[in-house]
């Protein structure tokens, strides 16, 4: 699975951005997809996840501001980010994962290249 992320940029506090992550195959070929972010000097953290069945999960810090969604026809997952704050500044990474049944449901992760999001006035 190859992932191509796009949509980062510079935005003022309170603004919006939409990140896109296109997969090389069907988004139904994986068990879920999500977005992680890593700010300078900090560990990578999960921001939002969407399971193949449509269930979503968000980090507390972004609930009510970010929305993850998928378009199966375009094999693309989106992260709509509203009311952005300076603390949202980070490199955002697209992730896809599947559980490998032949290996005891070991989780296999795939990563896209990062896209920089900078929230600053």
């Amino acid at each position: 699975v190859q992932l191509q992320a796009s949509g980062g940029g510079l935005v003022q506090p309170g603004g919006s951005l939409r990140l896109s992550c296109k997969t090389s195959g069907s988004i139904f070929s994986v068990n879920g997809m999500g977005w992680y972010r890593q700010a300078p000097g900090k560990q990578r953290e999960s921001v939002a996840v969407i399971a193949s069945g449509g269930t979503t999960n968000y980090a507390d810090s972004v609930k009510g501001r970010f929305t993850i969604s998928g378009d199966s026809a375009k094999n693309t997952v989106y992260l709509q980010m509203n009311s952005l704050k300076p603390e949202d500044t980070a490199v955002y990474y697209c992730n896809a994962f599947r559980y490998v049944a032949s290996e005891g449901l070991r989780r296999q992760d795939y990563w896209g290249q990062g896209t920089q999001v900078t929230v600053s006035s």
Side-chain angles (χ1 to χ4, degrees), residues 29 39 41 80 118:
S29 68
Q80 178 66 44
T118 302

Side-chain angles (χ1 to χ4, degrees), residues 1 29-32 96-100 106-110:
V1 177
S29 68
V30 295
N31 293 107
F97 62 91
R98 63 161 59 110
Y99 297 105
V100 184
R106 177 185 66 85
R107 172 168 165 155
Q108 184 170 22
D109 285 278
Y110 304 89

Side-chain angles (χ1 to χ4, degrees), residues 13-14 25 31 39 41 43-45 51 55 65 67 69 72 76-77 85 87 92 97 99 102 105 111 113 118:
N31 293 107
Q43 290 188 329
R44 188 175 297 189
E45 62 175 355
T55 302
R65 301 187 298 121
T67 302
S69 62
S72 58
T76 300
V77 170
K85 304 175 181 180
E87 51 263 44
Y92 284 69
F97 62 91
Y99 297 105
S102 62
L105 296 179
W111 295 94
Q113 88 286 5
T118 302

Side-chain angles (χ1 to χ4, degrees), residues 1 3 5 7 15 19 30 33 39 46 53 69 81 85 87-88 91 93 100 105 107 110-111 114 116 119 121:
V1 177
L3 307 174
L19 305 183
V30 295
M33 294 184 66
S46 176
S69 62
M81 304 185 293
K85 304 175 181 180
E87 51 263 44
D88 294 317
V91 178
Y93 296 91
V100 184
L105 296 179
R107 172 168 165 155
Y110 304 89
W111 295 94
Q116 177 71 46
V119 185
S121 55

Side-chain angles (χ1 to χ4, degrees), residues 4 6 18-23 25-27 33 35 69-78:
Q4 181 69 39
S6 61
R18 189 178 78 160
L19 305 183
S20 300
C21 178
K22 185 173 178 59
T23 70
S26 169
I27 62 175
M33 294 184 66
W35 291 92
S69 62
D71 185 335
S72 58
K74 296 182 179 180
N75 295 328
T76 300
V77 170
Y78 303 99

